[in-house]
Amino acid sequence: MAEVESIEKEVTTTSIVIKSVVALAVGILILMLPRPDNLTPEGHRLLALLTTIVILWVSEAVPIGVTALLAGAGLILLKIQPAQKAWAPFASPAVMFVLMIMMFGVVLNEVGLANRLMNYLLKFAGTKVKRLSLILAIGCTLTSSVFHDATITVIMVFAFVPVFMSMGMKPGKGHRLPTFFFLLIPLSASAGGFATLLGGGRNPLALEILQKFSGGQIKIGFLEYIVIQFPICILTAVATWAILWVLLRPKEKELVGIELADPGPMSGQEWWVLVVFVITFILWFSGDLTGWHYSVPAAFALLGFCAPGWISFRAICDKFPWESWIVFGAGVSLGVSMLDSGAGRFLAETLLPLLDGQPTFVVYYGMGFFGSFLSSLMSNSAAVALMLPITLPMAELMQMSPQSVAMLAPMTTSFIMLVIGCPPTIIAYSTGYFSQKEFIKIAVPWCLILLAICTLSVMVYWPLIGFVK
């Protein structure tokens, strides 16, 4: 068992004060800078607030849930958003869906399905860390191309928690082995969401914006989308595993001392939960027919879990990682404010023209990096909605293929650099096995390398299949 430095470091009042003062001082400094003509006063104040909040999050000066609530309060205090609009994203459809998806994880764990899934996985992949982690990475990436990446993360994270608990590796103690797995799962799941139109809302959104931009001249079908994107996601799956293996390789070569209880025959409780899950997945896939928002089947699923008495809703609430969910709500709220205040458009108009006249690789990589940067601060769908209306006209002026720029957006907004960037990372963070600093140390190089891999892939693969010249 590997012991590394505990992440539960003693927090002194002095360190809290210093970190908080630094965060506040940087925010005030940005506020005092001259405001550019193309930046609104609200956008100027938002950039100052955003910088302060990000510093507080990354430094973990105060609990991240408290910082998240301060973000909402700051929007109101600085008159960036009215109170109702500042708090509304905390209950947006996406945030409520994530709440229910995270509750699914608690249910899986409570009824024993997570333990059963882990037993099946270990029988198939074995207990060798290298083989198990590679299969896990590819599996999470490929399945998240069809299912929601948060769903895949919830299932796998809650399946692995009992494993490490049985090995005596508790959260917050700095064990490298669980840190490796709990970073691998969400990053692998995030790396596959762009591969099919089912993988995330940003994918059909990118096609819709492209079609409107071209006046209906450019259309990409369901299967065509898969041919264009899916092969690249196989590269991102293997690359994600390789990057984490190099940067965070555990000392253990095998999972030893696992004391997972033999699940035995499936209980009536497990069968019922499984049936409800299957029905929920069918309803999600039938969304185009029913017209239901994906949060509707999720809510009915919770009704199905709790109404027969298989699990109490109080038990779900007691074990729910509320702090992580509040942080996601704050991220969405700040993202909406980026759009409303014009701060996002200001950043795009300031930074993206720097790519004009650069080599093709630099242009693709620069656009991809900007998408990843935005996606680290807001939902990936919002990032696509913000950047494409700006990058598509740029592509036309630079005599680039608009469809290549449009298809690059859902890909690169899958890679994030902050825990708050997407639900999978927040779900994994809620286990307490890694800190935000540890996440950034891995996620930043992971993001930069995957952007390079995707850029090279689109420059080689897309011309080969005739998608672009």
Side-chain angles (χ1 to χ4, degrees):
M1 179 186 307
E3 286 285 352
V4 295
E5 187 181 2
S6 172
I7 62 175
E8 285 188 337
K9 295 178 180 177
E10 184 179 353
V11 179
T12 64
T13 304
T14 304
S15 70
I16 293 173
V17 171
I18 291 174
K19 291 174 181 175
S20 300
V21 169
V22 168
L24 193 60
V26 173
I28 292 174
L29 179 64
I30 293 176
L31 207 55
M32 294 176 66
L33 293 174
R35 179 172 59 83
D37 293 336
N38 59 340
L39 179 61
T40 64
E42 292 80 9
H44 191 192
R45 295 195 290 271
L46 175 64
L47 292 179
L49 173 67
L50 188 62
T51 305
T52 302
I53 294 299
V54 169
I55 293 175
L56 287 175
W57 264 330
V58 173
S59 66
E60 296 179 320
V62 292
I64 62 170
V66 175
T67 305
L69 295 174
L70 285 174
L75 291 173
I76 303 167
L77 185 67
L78 296 176
K79 300 185 186 305
I80 300 168
Q81 295 277 35
Q84 187 173 1
K85 210 163 184 178
W87 295 117
F90 282 74
S92 69
V95 177
M96 294 306 297
F97 175 66
V98 169
L99 177 142
M100 289 181 270
I101 285 290
M102 293 170 80
M103 286 184 171
F104 282 12
V106 178
V107 172
L108 283 172
N109 196 41
E110 288 298 295
V111 302
L113 276 174
N115 178 59
R116 183 177 297 281
L117 175 66
M118 198 63 225
N119 273 274
Y120 293 153
L121 177 62
L122 291 179
K123 285 181 180 177
F124 173 73
T127 55
K128 299 288 186 185
V129 172
K130 190 173 186 179
R131 173 184 162 87
L132 175 63
S133 60
L134 179 59
I135 291 175
L136 181 67
I138 295 175
C140 286
T141 301
L142 297 186
T143 49
S144 66
S145 69
V146 180
F147 301 109
H148 197 286
D149 51 10
T151 307
I152 302 302
T153 302
V154 161
I155 292 172
M156 296 317 303
V157 162
F158 278 86
F160 268 90
V161 165
V163 171
F164 296 121
M165 292 297 284
S166 73
M167 295 173 71
M169 297 181 179
K170 297 180 180 178
K173 301 301 181 185
H175 299 289
R176 195 180 183 98
L177 183 64
T179 301
F180 169 73
F181 274 97
F182 287 127
L183 286 175
L184 180 70
I185 291 170
L187 295 183
S188 299
S190 298
F194 66 89
T196 78
L197 284 174
L198 300 175
R202 62 193 179 284
N203 306 338
L205 177 63
L207 296 190
E208 182 181 332
I209 295 174
L210 175 64
Q211 189 170 337
K212 287 182 179 177
F213 172 78
S214 65
Q217 297 298 312
I218 303 176
K219 295 180 181 178
I220 296 175
F222 188 90
L223 289 178
E224 187 183 4
Y225 184 97
I226 293 175
V227 172
I228 295 167
Q229 301 283 62
F230 192 84
I232 298 175
C233 104
I234 297 174
L235 295 178
T236 59
V238 177
T240 298
W241 173 82
I243 293 167
L244 265 77
W245 187 255
V246 170
L247 297 180
L248 201 61
R249 180 186 303 179
K251 293 181 180 177
E252 295 85 349
K253 296 188 180 301
E254 187 168 4
L255 301 182
V256 294
I258 304 173
E259 296 178 358
L260 289 178
D262 183 357
M266 283 186 65
S267 65
Q269 187 184 29
E270 288 176 282
W271 274 115
W272 179 260
V273 170
L274 186 61
V275 168
V276 172
F277 258 113
V278 171
I279 294 174
T280 305
F281 277 121
I282 292 173
L283 290 175
W284 277 334
F285 276 108
S286 308
D288 289 342
L289 297 175
T290 62
W292 291 358
H293 186 268
Y294 41 78
S295 59
V296 174
F300 279 120
L302 287 169
L303 176 67
F305 298 144
C306 299
W310 296 116
I311 184 170
S312 75
F313 190 66
R314 179 175 293 276
I316 296 174
C317 293
D318 287 345
K319 299 188 177 181
F320 185 81
W322 291 101
E323 186 181 50
S324 299
W325 177 69
I326 291 172
V327 171
F328 183 60
V332 175
S333 180
L334 290 170
V336 171
S337 299
M338 285 273 282
L339 292 171
D340 290 351
S341 69
R345 188 173 186 86
F346 162 75
L347 292 175
E349 291 176 345
T350 303
L351 299 177
L352 290 176
L354 299 176
L355 300 173
D356 191 12
Q358 300 296 324
T360 305
F361 178 87
V362 176
V363 174
Y364 277 141
Y365 193 91
M367 288 181 176
F369 180 81
F370 186 69
S372 296
F373 170 74
L374 287 180
S375 194
S376 299
L377 300 172
M378 60 178 69
S379 76
N380 42 34
S381 293
V384 168
L386 173 64
M387 66 183 291
L388 277 185
I390 298 168
T391 54
L392 284 175
M394 277 184 59
E396 196 170 53
L397 290 173
M398 296 163 70
Q399 297 183 332
M400 294 178 64
S401 158
Q403 53 265 46
S404 64
V405 173
M407 292 295 276
L408 190 68
M411 186 186 300
T412 56
T413 51
S414 300
F415 315 138
I416 45 88
M417 293 175 273
L418 296 175
V419 166
I420 61 170
C422 67
T425 52
I426 293 174
I427 291 167
Y429 178 79
S430 71
T431 63
Y433 276 102
F434 61 86
S435 67
Q436 292 201 67
K437 289 180 182 175
E438 287 176 308
F439 179 83
I440 291 172
K441 287 179 183 176
I442 300 299
V444 171
W446 168 76
C447 177
L448 298 178
I449 294 172
L450 256 61
L451 285 176
I453 291 173
C454 288
T455 301
L456 290 172
S457 299
V458 301
M459 291 176 65
V460 173
Y461 174 63
W462 286 354
L464 280 177
I465 61 173
F467 175 57
V468 294
K469 295 180 180 178

